[in-house]
Each structure stands twice: as C-alpha cells, then as structure tokens.
Amino acid sequence: MSVPDTKKTPLHEVHDELGATVTEFAGYLMPLRYGSETAEHQAVRTSAGLFDLSHMGEIFLTGPQAGAALDHALIGHLSGLAVGRARYTMICNAAGGVLDDLIVYRLAAETYMVVANAANAATVRAQLIERASGFDNATVDDRSDSYALIAVQGPRAQGILEKLTDAPLADLKYYAILAAPVAGIDALVARTGYTGEDGFELFVSAGDAVRLWQAVTEAGGDDLRPAGLSARDTLRLEAGMPLYGNELTAETTPYDAGLGRTVKFDKAGDFVGRTALTALADTPPGRTLVGLVARGRRVPRHGYDIVTSDGTPCGIVTSGAPSPTLGKPIAMAYIDAGHADDTDLAVDIRGKHEPVDKVALPFYRRTP
Amino acid sequence: MSTVPETLSYTEEHEWITEPADGVVTIGITGYAADALGDIVYVSLPQEGAAVEAGEPCGEAESTKSVSDIYAPVTGEVVAVNGSVEEDPGIVNADPYGEGWLFKIRTNGDSGDLLDAPAYSKLIEEA
C-alpha cells in the first residue's frame, strides 16, 4: 500500500519484515498488529511487549524561562517539576477545551521535553511557539523527526532492559526519566507507558532505532513480542486511560474526563484557559466519563448511543472493545448529568439495546 | 497472502460457499476476511430453521477493531449452524475454510452474484 504524504517511522522496514498488518494512523503508516492482537495484549499483561511509538511528537522547551513558559501554556505546574521527573498534563484552549494530553519530562533545569500525540503534534508545536513568545528566554524546538520512541512494556520489561544497560532501572521511579546508554545507544529511559503495566519508554535518535529494536528483541527472546496499535488500544482502555480523539477533544474539558486534578491553579502568572477552568472547577460537569461492561457479547463501540431503560439517549460511547483480560466487551462513555447514577443503562448496538453495567475505572489494575 | 481454494465460490462480501450437495450449501468467511478482521471474538449466526434471503445480513462477526455483517449468499432455509465457532470464534481465524465454517443453507437456487476463485483472487489483490 502506498499512500502519498503518509510518513513512515524509522522502523518501517522492520515491521514489514515481521509481517505486520499496517494502518494509517495520524499521518503515519503504523503497525496495527504483527499476528494475533490478543496474544500481543496478553504478552504485555504477563510478560513483555515491544512497541514502535515513533509517531509521537517530541517538542523541546529550553532556556531559563522554559518552565515559566510551560506554566503559561499548559494547565499543569511544570516549573515545579523536579529534574528527572515527568508529569501527565494537558494543553487547553481559552474555553478550557483540551487540545492534547501530554507527558512533560524535565530533563534538566532548563530543558523540558513535551511528548504530544502524533495527530496533535503540529497544533501543540504551533501553540507552544505562540504561547512561549511572550517569554524572552524560552525556545521551542520540535525534534519529532529526529527522535524514535520504542516502548518496552510488561512485568518482564525491567529484566529485559537490565541486560542492555547498567542504568539503575530498579531505582527509577514511575514517571521518572534518566539518560543512559542502552545496548551502547544513547537513550532517554523513562518509566512511563500507556498500557497499565510497568514498563519503559526509550527515546533515541531516529538513526539508532533499528539497532535498538533489534537489541531489545534479542535480549527479550521468548519473553518479548512486538505489539501493535491494536493491542495498545485495548491495553490502555482496560487501564482506563483516555485517548485523544475519543475521550478527549477540544469540546471536552479536563473536568468532563474526570481529570480535574491535572488543572493546577496554584502557580504564578496566568495560563491559557485559567478563567474558563476556574469557573468550570466549581460547576458540576454536564457529563461524566464512566466505565461500562456489557452483559452480552456484542461490543459497544465509539459513537454508539447510551440509552435509559425507556430508550431515551443519555450518553455516548467514546471507546469500546472486547477486553482480553475480562473476557467481556468494555467501554468508556460520557453519561449526561442526571443519568450518571442510573443502574439500568443500555447501549444502542445497531438498533438493539444491549444492557451494560456501570463500573469504576480502571477496568484493570496491575498487582504491584 | 492467504490462498483461495479453487473449488469454492465467493461473494464480494468475502464469504465462501460450496457447491450444493443435495441442495445444501456450506458458508464461511474467507481467509482474507479473517486476516483483515484480526482476532474474531464473537460470531452471531442465524437460527436453525430461519429463512434467509440472498444478499441480506443474517449475522455478525465482532473482532477487536470492528463488527461486520455476515450475509446470506443464497436464499433458503438455514439447516445447520456451527456451534463450535459460537463457542470459540478463534476457530474462524485458525481454519476459515474448514472447522471455521459458519452455517448451511438448503437453497431454492436463488443466489446473489457469485465469483469463482480466480475472480475472487483478483478482487482481493485489488483491495
């Protein structure tokens, strides 16, 4: 398949050799699955999986005012982040709508790396440039094309990577990052992920991606299998993690998504969205993000209506899939205020109302 | 690329159908379809005894990423359904042309447009 203007990651040929089924995602040709996506999902839950996430955006902010600029641009308090630590945060518009959800790593006192979703990287870059323009000593540099991102996720991830690096991985905390050679390749090693398992994300030069992938594959042996976007989606859904475009959009506020804790008002200066978010903080949201488990075997999917017992629409499914871990279909959905406590909800699955049970998120939590 | 058995007929909806034996045909989804869907987690099949019409949906297949209609390629009465694939839909991925058959129809002879193996091979090459 050749799609004009579709970007390829530095690992594209590796995926081809592995026989991956590829799909266009956010402008990139990405591996959807290599074999059975269910087996890939289970490998991450029980052993380890290897992901190419090189489509993600890496945007650097540097300079004495980099932290202050991020405090202004984002809803989090990034100047307060310790060096070597990471934080989940968002970039909002003036109305409080979410433009992207981000992980920001503080690599040094004056160096931050903002990791954006591929589909939003251009927006995030443009907004960061605009929002940082009032700060004399903060430079925005989009290095997305220079970086490859490889994730090793699962309970055996640490053991596999310890074969390739002397870095003190056992001491690396969740949401922390360090710079170290891995298989002799300069890497930023972060204990972050999007699977609900322990694991690591390795940022390396695009030119080193194939060598690192092969080294990790070799070190992992039978304990590791490559995993595609399909498994990544069911893994994050089980873990109750939002996906931009599904649970989060420019019409969604952090409060709608149950992520009000990411809004930090206690920081110096103004930030984009502050006025709107201040008002929203004290207003019950018009809808609530909930977890649903289907009683039957048909799968509630993105865009399907939620209905009350008398068939009145009262919400919409944002993500849904058969859950490999639960063995049942699961979904996240927005339920209109007033119906959040209803116990007899159903999903309109192609005209038929299929009963679902509301459950607390996440659907899956790893045992420590 | 999956092989396309020579002895079967096919539909544009990626189903296969056998030659009638005593008026009964067996129906399944093609290897190409099974690969494209990914892991099939649930199939809903018509009831035994149901009257079905060529070209009309009569069931569905759920995979991780999508749900697809299953169509009746011929008109007639459903005389058998494969309970094994209802229990374990993964059989369809593992053996789409064999153990993964879906249902059997006693046909009155009316069918939609069917493709022979070379025509179906061409269809999936162009897909």
Side-chain angles (χ1 to χ4, degrees):
Chain A
M1 178 166 57
S2 130
V3 183
D5 301 330
T6 302
K7 289 181 160 186
K8 292 172 178 173
T9 80
L11 290 159
H12 174 73
E13 285 175 15
V14 173
H15 304 320
D16 270 358
E17 282 165 26
L18 289 166
T21 299
V22 295
T23 187
E24 203 247 299
F25 179 80
Y28 285 81
L29 210 51
M30 297 297 294
L32 183 63
R33 54 190 150 80
Y34 298 85
S36 157
E37 68 272 16
T38 311
E40 292 166 18
H41 178 112
Q42 302 292 18
V44 174
R45 288 275 177 259
T46 60
S47 186
L50 179 62
F51 298 85
D52 176 15
L53 307 177
S54 301
H55 60 311
M56 303 288 283
E58 291 87 10
I59 302 163
F60 280 68
L61 264 85
T62 53
Q65 284 192 290
L70 284 172
D71 284 349
H72 171 68
L74 311 180
I75 62 173
H77 184 201
L78 289 312
S79 64
L81 185 63
V83 171
R85 301 306 296 266
R87 191 155 294 156
Y88 177 73
T89 184
M90 300 189 194
I91 182 166
C92 286
N93 60 27
V98 180
L99 296 179
D100 200 11
D101 62 337
L102 309 163
I103 295 180
V104 177
Y105 300 85
R106 191 169 196 174
L107 303 178
E110 298 182 0
T111 307
Y112 292 83
M113 177 172 68
V114 176
V115 176
N117 285 298
N120 298 327
T123 303
V124 173
R125 174 184 56 219
Q127 287 296 323
L128 287 177
I129 290 170
E130 187 183 321
R131 295 177 189 192
S133 62
F135 296 81
D136 289 338
N137 290 302
T139 305
V140 179
D141 182 16
D142 183 353
R143 301 185 195 164
S144 301
D145 290 340
S146 330
Y147 272 95
L149 173 54
I150 290 173
V152 188
Q153 299 279 306
R156 294 183 185 156
Q158 183 181 315
I160 291 166
L161 289 179
E162 279 173 340
K163 296 180 191 172
L164 299 173
T165 182
D166 294 331
L169 296 184
D171 299 332
L172 187 66
K173 293 193 170 79
Y174 188 51
Y175 268 67
I177 188 165
L178 55 76
V182 177
I185 295 159
D186 285 338
L188 294 168
V189 182
R191 196 164 211 146
T192 46
Y194 192 51
T195 60
E197 295 302 329
D198 184 24
F200 299 85
E201 296 184 304
L202 310 173
F203 299 85
V204 296
S205 271
D208 290 330
V210 171
R211 218 151 48 85
L212 180 63
W213 178 281
Q214 284 164 349
V216 176
T217 298
E218 200 167 308
D222 292 342
D223 285 345
L224 178 89
R225 72 192 290 161
L229 292 184
S230 183
R232 183 167 157 87
D233 192 44
T234 49
L235 288 159
R236 70 90 195 167
L237 177 59
E238 285 185 349
M241 294 170 162
L243 172 64
Y244 196 88
N246 290 32
E247 286 71 37
L248 300 173
T249 69
E251 284 72 46
T252 311
T253 73
Y255 297 102
D256 294 334
L259 294 164
R261 63 183 162 77
T262 62
V263 188
K264 305 295 183 194
F265 295 107
D266 190 18
K267 57 180 175 178
D270 196 14
F271 67 92
V272 179
R274 182 194 274 271
T275 308
L277 290 167
T278 302
L280 289 165
D282 297 325
T283 317
R287 53 193 180 153
T288 310
L289 189 66
V290 302
L292 302 173
V293 176
R295 289 186 204 161
R297 294 171 73 181
R298 300 176 83 210
V299 183
R301 295 186 189 272
H302 178 76
Y304 289 7
D305 283 332
I306 311 287
V307 295
T308 63
S309 52
D310 65 5
T312 311
C314 67
I316 192 156
V317 175
T318 50
S319 296
S323 161
T325 304
L326 276 67
K328 297 174 188 174
I330 58 171
M332 288 200 273
Y334 277 113
I335 307 287
D336 298 340
H339 292 284
D341 295 325
D342 288 11
T343 52
D344 49 0
L345 296 171
V347 178
D348 184 335
I349 300 185
R350 310 169 95 207
K352 193 156 175 268
H353 296 174
E354 304 280 0
V356 289
D357 291 311
K358 203 148 47 72
V359 298
L361 292 170
F363 299 98
Y364 167 86
R365 201 188 293 272
R366 73 175 178 266
T367 43
Chain B
M1 183 54 64
S2 50
T3 56
V4 173
E6 294 282 333
T7 54
L8 301 170
S9 298
Y10 299 88
T11 71
E12 291 188 357
E13 284 80 30
H14 304 286
E15 290 171 23
W16 56 260
I17 175 169
T18 59
E19 287 292 309
D22 297 330
V24 174
V25 296
T26 304
I27 290 140
I29 67 166
T30 66
Y32 173 83
D35 284 350
L37 287 171
D39 291 332
I40 297 166
V41 296
Y42 172 54
V43 288
S44 140
L45 297 175
Q47 299 280 324
E48 221 173 287
V52 293
E53 196 170 330
E56 294 297 315
C58 65
E60 56 187 25
E62 297 260 14
S63 64
T64 305
K65 278 286 182 195
S66 66
V67 57
S68 305
D69 281 320
I70 295 168
Y71 296 88
V74 296
T75 299
E77 180 194 344
V78 176
V79 293
V81 296
N82 187 352
S84 303
V85 303
E86 289 181 308
E87 300 257 316
D88 178 9
I91 297 170
V92 179
N93 290 109
D95 190 9
Y97 296 109
E99 295 297 313
W101 66 275
L102 298 180
F103 54 103
K104 296 175 192 268
I105 296 175
R106 182 176 302 284
T107 173
N108 68 1
D110 289 345
S111 74
D113 289 338
L114 298 180
L115 308 171
D116 61 13
Y120 181 68
S121 297
K122 190 157 179 283
L123 178 82
I124 59 178
E125 271 163 32
E126 288 167 1

